[in-house]
Amino acid sequence: MSSPATPRPNQPWLPKLVLAPSFLLSFLFIYGLIAWNGYLSLSASRLLPNYEFVGVEQYVNLFDSERWWVALTNLGIFGTLFIGCGMALGLFLAILLDQKIRAEGALRTIYLYPMALSFIVTGTAWKWILNPGLGIENVVRQWGFENFTFDWLINPERAIYTVVIAGVWQSSGFVMALFLAGLRGIDDSIIKAAQVDGASLPRIYWRIIIPSLRPVFFSTLLVLAHIAIKSFDLVIALTNGGPGFATDVPATFMYSMAFSRGQIGLGAASATVMLATIAAIVVPYLYSELRTKR
Amino acid sequence: MSTSNLVVRRLAGALAAAGLMGATAAQAGEVEVLHWWTSGGEAKAATALKGKLLALGHTWRDFAVAGGGGDSAMTVLKSRVVSGNAPAAAQIKGPSIQEWAREGVLAPIDDVAKANNWDTLLPKSIADGLKYKGSYVAAPVNVHRVNWLWANPAVFQKAGVKVPTTWDEFFTAAEALKKAGVIPVAHGGQNWQDFTTFEAVALGVGGTDFYKKALVQLDQGTLKSATMEKVLATFKKVKDYTDRNAAGRDWNLATAMVINGQAGMQIMGDWAKGEFLAAGKVPGKDFVCSPAPGTGKAYTYNVDSFAMFKLKNDANVKAQKDLAAAIMSPEFQEVFNLNKGSIPVRLNMDLAKFDDCAKQSSADFVASSKSGALLPSIAHGMAAPSAAEGAIKDAVSQFWNTDKMTPKEAMDRIASAAKQK
């Protein structure tokens, strides 16, 4: 009564009513489909979904499959290197760009530009660049270094690293932009105070600036991690999972089982495992990060 | 040139016929046909079928999805079928026909088959593949021979060797071609192309019975035999004669390398002929078609077919049956196969208009169907259920690409892949 300025909703059901359709839709199309996929992974579905219950048989088959293990290993290699190198390179570029240099705007645009391309374009371009008969190897050999070899793309043990190269090339500019924004948000007076105290520049970065970028690390990690786990188009465009199935990742495994091999049940099982993996990494992290904010 | 003229003339004829028949076609329906014939020669072949249906007064809805192997098309098809909106017909072949039929979505077309005597016109092994529980559910359009070796005679002349007919000759020739400075074998490093080569080697080195036991019946003992080891060793040796850029190359680009003399030969099904013809090359003069080494008396087939889906609208069902009849009609089989590079699936056809490669293919087709050497191609989804086929393809491709793997290891992997159901 004493605060008439606070608007009181005289129709308490209105917000609920307005929110209901979108809530219902997202509930149905996110959690509903997750549940459906979960059920399919326990069914005998082959070419089309069917609902004959077979228990965990599809999961047993999944973890028996060598190709699935290759896909998981690749995800481990790709995820670690893609996130690690992407962040390190992005931060490094951001720190260099933050030195109040000339033509910063132009450089920033150049670094950021790869993000404007889709992974399909990146993959196709790198496929040409890394192809031993067309790209880098050929060029260096034409310069006269006859024995130069750079054939990772066609080497089943190295091919996954070419995916990392292309992925890092694509995303490090974007990471740089995020870090640069973070760097610009730091209060100058702290740095000046540190300088007055006689701290060297690397020391200032290491002890003051980088720790204060913690929220930026957090959001970058989240963005890169989900790109890594769902990475599909880059692999398809760059290597198509090959040579053989050496660069398969869980996403491409899932696609080929569910859609071209007629094993929807197996594909659904792999999708469930992917979801569980993401949840296992992201949920505790989100929890710890968001709780400290309070 | 001559083939495209022919198509124009046929189409003109078809349109004239459409005018005449307009009155009789009271129940004009719509046929929607899902296919992935989008490359030059293939697209022309599809046009021929369309002309035929238009002539009967039906409407034709093209549902072409690009992508050679048809993976993307199958994905689209599944979503259409699940949502209850199936096309009239879709390009489905081999054991996949039975897999689809088992889902209960295919329509029997026995009345069409009976009226047109399909049982006498088709070799039994092929007819059986088109049936589910004794009823026809698919119509065949052609027969592709898969075990072909395509060669550029000018390149062979330069190297001073003959086009090989055995695997020993193959490697002698490949060595000579290499010395002459050309790529001996044009290959595309995609898993189905690796698998096509493997299948040809298996038939050439192991023979008909071995092929049947190992790759059709998926017999564990045969898959782990000494012959299999020899097959794998020979298969791997072929890789030494391909170039390093093969990774991911499309088959038609590999064919182009043979066409322009950059490479000497290619192991590929007869759809490659379409590329040679489209480039204006003459069989026997500019290019040579020869059975893959050691497989002269056998025939691995890849029969393209259209599976018929259950439809709700009666007019459309009528159109679908007309489509099935049209597909097996001698005129369509001729026009289509002239463009596609394959041969008609009907046994008693006049092949006057076909080239020498097709005539040889047809003669071998008939001969091998009598001698029992008519074999389904596993690399093209004719022999094994898709799960086992895919797993074996993975294992073969992994062996091709991994230099450290021994034939013995590969053999074990293939055998355990063949157990997939």
Side-chain angles (χ1 to χ4, degrees), chain B residues 225-299:
Chain B
S225 62
T227 319
M228 185 68 177
E229 202 176 339
K230 200 173 150 212
V231 165
L232 284 163
T234 313
F235 169 62
K236 193 59 189 271
K237 214 170 138 195
V238 176
K239 196 190 176 193
D240 298 341
Y241 297 101
T242 61
D243 63 321
R244 284 155 53 82
N245 303 331
R249 179 188 286 143
D250 283 322
W251 67 269
N252 50 342
L253 299 181
T255 309
M257 290 165 63
V258 180
I259 293 175
N260 63 28
Q262 212 185 325
M265 50 191 165
Q266 182 188 18
I267 296 171
M268 185 48 63
D270 54 14
W271 45 93
K273 192 176 70 187
E275 301 291 312
F276 283 101
L277 296 178
K281 303 290 180 189
V282 181
K285 190 170 132 261
D286 302 319
F287 69 96
V288 174
C289 49
S290 150
T295 67
K297 293 224 158 54
Y299 195 107

Side-chain angles (χ1 to χ4, degrees), chain A residues 46-50 65-67 70 127 131-134 137 141 149-151 153-154 156-157 240 243-245 255 257-264 266, chain B residues 71-72 74-75 78 81-82 96 99-100 103 105 190-191 194 239 244-245 247-248 386-387 389-391 393-395 397-398 401-404 413 420-421:
Chain A
R46 307 277 314 184
L47 207 55
L48 297 175
N50 85 33
S65 152
E66 195 202 337
R67 184 165 168 177
V70 169
K127 184 167 141 186
N131 186 310
L134 296 171
E137 180 179 304
R141 284 194 181 184
T149 307
F150 185 60
D151 60 355
L153 191 68
I154 58 169
E157 273 161 29
N240 199 7
F245 52 83
Y255 182 85
M257 288 307 150
F259 300 114
S260 48
R261 291 277 164 88
Q263 296 188 307
I264 287 185
L266 193 65
Chain B
D71 275 0
S72 35
M74 278 299 125
T75 309
K78 269 172 215 165
V81 172
V82 169
S96 294
E99 286 172 28
W100 277 96
E103 303 284 349
V105 292
Q190 294 172 331
N191 57 11
D194 302 340
K239 196 190 176 193
R244 284 155 53 82
N245 303 331
S386 53
E389 181 212 313
K393 180 159 64 186
D394 281 346
S397 187
Q398 205 186 14
N401 286 299
T402 313
D403 290 334
K404 275 186 279 178
R413 279 172 201 232
Q420 287 246 349
K421 283 198 201 90

Side-chain angles (χ1 to χ4, degrees), chain B residues 19-351:
Chain B
L20 290 173
M21 295 181 63
T24 53
Q27 271 212 318
E30 183 188 74
V31 280
E32 192 177 6
V33 180
L34 179 137
H35 63 89
W36 50 92
W37 292 323
T38 45
S39 88
E42 295 176 335
K44 268 200 226 160
T47 313
L49 186 58
K50 180 181 176 182
K52 197 84 191 151
L53 264 285
L54 291 179
L56 290 170
H58 299 302
T59 345
W60 168 280
R61 263 223 345 250
D62 209 34
F63 182 4
V65 183
D71 275 0
S72 35
M74 278 299 125
T75 309
V76 180
L77 178 63
K78 269 172 215 165
S79 61
R80 291 275 306 260
V81 172
V82 169
S83 68
N85 179 27
Q91 206 184 332
I92 297 173
K93 62 181 186 182
S96 294
I97 295 174
Q98 275 79 33
E99 286 172 28
W100 277 96
R102 221 169 292 139
E103 303 284 349
V105 292
L106 298 189
I109 46 168
D110 284 320
D111 42 347
V112 181
K114 199 163 265 166
N116 295 289
N117 290 324
W118 287 14
D119 276 328
T120 52
L121 288 170
L122 300 170
K124 189 170 181 306
S125 60
I126 288 177
D128 286 347
L130 301 166
K131 290 177 184 170
Y132 178 67
K133 292 191 176 159
S135 290
Y136 278 100
V137 288
V141 288
N142 62 1
V143 180
H144 279 295
R145 185 183 203 174
V146 182
N147 57 330
W148 276 124
L149 179 78
W150 304 93
N152 185 324
V155 172
F156 271 82
Q157 205 164 23
K158 200 173 90 185
V161 279
K162 281 201 306 192
V163 176
T165 56
T166 66
W167 282 102
D168 290 338
E169 282 175 33
F170 179 89
F171 291 114
T172 321
E175 200 54 49
L177 289 168
K178 200 175 195 175
K179 283 217 182 76
V182 290
I183 299 162
V185 182
H187 183 72
Q190 294 172 331
N191 57 11
W192 69 270
Q193 297 190 53
D194 302 340
F195 208 24
T196 303
T197 305
F198 170 75
E199 171 186 296
V201 176
L203 184 57
V205 173
T208 308
D209 287 337
F210 168 80
Y211 183 95
K212 242 185 230 170
K213 277 207 182 118
L215 299 179
V216 182
Q217 294 158 11
L218 303 178
D219 173 59
Q220 287 290 319
T222 318
L223 283 170
K224 284 190 193 160
S225 62
T227 319
M228 185 68 177
E229 202 176 339
K230 200 173 150 212
V231 165
L232 284 163
T234 313
F235 169 62
K236 193 59 189 271
K237 214 170 138 195
V238 176
K239 196 190 176 193
D240 298 341
Y241 297 101
T242 61
D243 63 321
R244 284 155 53 82
N245 303 331
R249 179 188 286 143
D250 283 322
W251 67 269
N252 50 342
L253 299 181
T255 309
M257 290 165 63
V258 180
I259 293 175
N260 63 28
Q262 212 185 325
M265 50 191 165
Q266 182 188 18
I267 296 171
M268 185 48 63
D270 54 14
W271 45 93
K273 192 176 70 187
E275 301 291 312
F276 283 101
L277 296 178
K281 303 290 180 189
V282 181
K285 190 170 132 261
D286 302 319
F287 69 96
V288 174
C289 49
S290 150
T295 67
K297 293 224 158 54
Y299 195 107
T300 45
Y301 65 82
N302 172 16
V303 174
D304 281 320
S305 52
F306 279 101
M308 302 295 163
F309 282 85
K310 284 186 180 151
L311 298 176
K312 290 175 194 122
N313 180 326
D314 282 344
N316 289 350
V317 171
K318 171 85 176 56
Q320 183 184 42
K321 298 218 156 134
D322 286 343
L323 172 75
I327 285 173
M328 269 292 281
S329 69
E331 307 90 72
F332 169 71
Q333 292 270 330
E334 183 179 285
V335 184
F336 180 87
N337 288 304
L338 281 172
N339 283 306
K340 185 89 198 291
S342 41
I343 59 166
V345 66
R346 289 172 70 108
L347 280 175
N348 54 352
M349 286 260 312
D350 173 26
L351 294 176

Side-chain angles (χ1 to χ4, degrees), chain A residues 77-242:
Chain A
I77 297 172
F78 176 70
T80 317
L81 290 177
F82 171 73
I83 296 173
C85 298
M87 280 227 212
L89 196 63
L91 179 61
F92 182 67
L93 289 176
I95 290 175
L96 292 186
L97 265 189
D98 194 35
Q99 306 307 315
K100 301 189 174 61
I101 53 170
R102 222 189 302 164
E104 186 200 307
L107 284 173
R108 212 169 45 202
T109 314
I110 291 171
Y111 288 144
L112 191 56
Y113 204 74
M115 196 67 188
L117 303 176
S118 79
F119 265 129
I120 290 286
V121 177
T122 305
T124 310
W126 278 93
K127 184 167 141 186
W128 293 328
I129 296 172
L130 296 169
N131 186 310
L134 296 171
I136 298 177
E137 180 179 304
N138 188 32
V139 169
V140 175
R141 284 194 181 184
Q142 277 172 358
W143 286 344
F145 301 95
E146 290 293 335
N147 293 322
F148 178 81
T149 307
F150 185 60
D151 60 355
W152 289 11
L153 191 68
I154 58 169
N155 179 336
E157 273 161 29
R158 300 274 171 76
I160 188 65
Y161 298 101
T162 64
V163 183
V164 174
I165 294 174
V168 168
W169 176 83
Q170 164 100 318
S171 62
S172 56
F174 166 69
V175 177
M176 174 213 75
L178 286 180
F179 277 122
L180 197 59
L183 286 172
R184 294 285 149 85
I186 292 171
D187 192 352
D188 260 359
S189 55
I190 306 173
I191 297 163
K192 292 220 174 78
Q195 278 167 340
V196 171
D197 284 346
S200 67
L201 194 61
R203 198 179 163 80
I204 293 176
Y205 267 100
W206 189 244
R207 300 304 287 271
I208 300 172
I209 297 180
I210 293 178
S212 61
L213 289 176
R214 188 183 159 95
V216 184
F217 274 105
F218 170 62
S219 38
T220 316
L221 182 73
L222 271 192
V223 171
L224 292 185
H226 94 262
I227 292 179
I229 293 175
K230 72 176 191 191
S231 64
F232 173 79
D233 35 7
L234 181 63
V235 176
I236 291 292
L238 185 63
T239 62
N240 199 7

